[in-house]
Amino acid sequence: MTILCLRFQLPPMHEAALPGLLGLLEDFTPVVQALPPDGALADLRGAERYFGRGAVELASVIRVRALALYGVDCVIGAGPGPMLARVALQDARPGVTCAVPEDPDGIAEFLAERPVSALPGVGTATARTLSEYGLDTLGLVAGAPLSTLQRLIGAKAGRELHEKASGIDRGRVVPNSVSRSLVTERAFDLDELDPGRHRRALLSAAEELGARLRAVRKVCRTLTLTVRYADRSSTTRSRTLKEPTAHSAALTRAAYGMYEALGLQRARVRALALRAEGLAPADQASYQLTFDPVDERVRRIEEVADRARAKFGPRAVMPGALGRGGGSTSVSWPRAA
């Protein structure tokens, strides 16, 4: 057992605590991969040899330290590889690490009765296609002819799915960092069902994110939306922007697009978070010239608004849609993650 997959039980609007928790993991191993907004993978092969303890024992120590130092509990899955650790995480609960057996027979038994959608990267469309042909569990998928899977979902996808369902985990933990990003969150006072209020929260978050990017003279290449629900589950979507930008209107359009693509119906939303990733200096970014006078006017107004906020505070200037009534959201202005 060498890989841990952790999900920290961060309360809404505390995603900025993730870098500190990653630092805690780095006390055990330098091979840590952040999984924003609240997760991480850790490769403990070297730590097992150094500390003379297995991954499950080390997971218990990590859990205690997270509680003691940050007041944050976590759920942990352990497995021989990243994919298997992610699957194990689905059965984990606070205080108990779910571990996948290391032997091939144990892995096959662990996966056999799980739905196809339990595998990371398998979406609802793929799971629905396989279910239509009676392949609704990983055991059935592993036992199906490879040619059948490739005919149903494609050559590459079919081969990868067959390997994963058979317990073959070719993934690895890729060390990364959340330092090249900015995050802002909006938490609702009560679990919110109104799409209009969801959109106002996104508008507020995008406006803040744009202002913060311009203040540090940065642009972002990717925007990530995280929706947290009343049952503590969450959905995360990312979108690569057409061009690196710090323009609030462009960030808002991207945020709205990701939100609408989720197709939420009567979803009880507890919080929304936007993360700007792939930051780069603004003076090195390309900008597509436009003959649209409206766009140019909006950008000039944005510059004036930024100067007013710098002098009179972040709420000195805001879009008219945010000045109307209709419920408030808690607002945070965290530092760079």
Side-chain angles (χ1 to χ4, degrees), residues 99-145:
V100 180
E102 295 188 68
D103 61 288
D105 291 339
I107 293 173
E109 183 179 353
F110 180 84
L111 295 175
E113 299 302 320
R114 296 176 183 275
V116 176
S117 57
L119 283 181
V122 176
T124 55
T126 299
R128 183 167 55 248
T129 298
L130 294 169
S131 294
E132 289 173 353
Y133 289 88
L135 302 174
D136 55 354
T137 67
L138 294 177
L140 292 173
V141 171

Side-chain angles (χ1 to χ4, degrees), residues 1 44 47-58 61:
M1 208 72 57
L44 298 183
E48 288 179 314
R49 293 192 295 269
Y50 182 82
F51 292 104
R53 298 188 179 187
V56 174
E57 291 180 281
L58 292 174
V61 177

Side-chain angles (χ1 to χ4, degrees), residues 266-328:
R266 304 293 294 172
R268 298 175 59 194
V269 175
R270 181 161 295 176
L272 296 158
L274 285 179
R275 176 184 289 276
E277 300 176 299
L279 305 189
D283 57 5
Q284 297 179 14
S286 59
Y287 168 56
Q288 179 63 50
L289 297 177
T290 176
F291 294 103
D292 182 3
V294 175
D295 181 73
E296 293 299 324
R297 188 159 53 248
V298 169
R299 290 178 183 270
R300 287 199 296 271
I301 292 173
E302 200 171 63
E303 293 175 2
V304 175
D306 286 343
R307 290 197 292 270
R309 293 188 188 105
K311 186 173 183 179
F312 300 108
R315 298 181 65 83
V317 180
M318 65 178 66
L322 299 179
R324 299 197 304 266
S328 63

Side-chain angles (χ1 to χ4, degrees), residues 192-203:
E192 186 58 68
L193 295 101
D194 184 2
R197 295 189 178 185
H198 297 167
R199 289 174 65 87
R200 281 196 290 275
L202 288 174
L203 173 59

Side-chain angles (χ1 to χ4, degrees), residues 91-225:
D91 285 351
R93 61 184 188 275
V96 178
T97 299
C98 180
V100 180
E102 295 188 68
D103 61 288
D105 291 339
I107 293 173
E109 183 179 353
F110 180 84
L111 295 175
E113 299 302 320
R114 296 176 183 275
V116 176
S117 57
L119 283 181
V122 176
T124 55
T126 299
R128 183 167 55 248
T129 298
L130 294 169
S131 294
E132 289 173 353
Y133 289 88
L135 302 174
D136 55 354
T137 67
L138 294 177
L140 292 173
V141 171
L146 175 59
S147 58
T148 299
L149 295 176
Q150 291 178 319
R151 186 167 61 252
L152 292 176
I153 62 174
K156 181 179 179 181
R159 182 174 62 254
E160 291 179 351
L161 178 61
H162 190 266
E163 287 186 350
K164 290 180 178 179
S166 301
I168 300 174
D169 191 348
R170 300 187 186 278
R172 62 189 183 92
V173 180
V174 181
N176 63 2
S177 172
V178 294
S179 60
R180 287 173 55 83
S181 66
L182 290 174
V183 62
T184 185
E185 301 191 14
R186 295 293 182 268
F188 296 99
D189 298 328
L190 300 173
D191 297 334
E192 186 58 68
L193 295 101
D194 184 2
R197 295 189 178 185
H198 297 167
R199 289 174 65 87
R200 281 196 290 275
L202 288 174
L203 173 59
S204 171
E207 284 287 326
E208 178 193 323
L209 205 55
R212 292 171 61 198
L213 284 167
R214 295 189 296 274
V216 295
R217 301 184 184 278
K218 299 283 187 179
V219 293
C220 70
R221 301 178 185 276
T222 304
L223 191 66
T224 297
L225 167 66

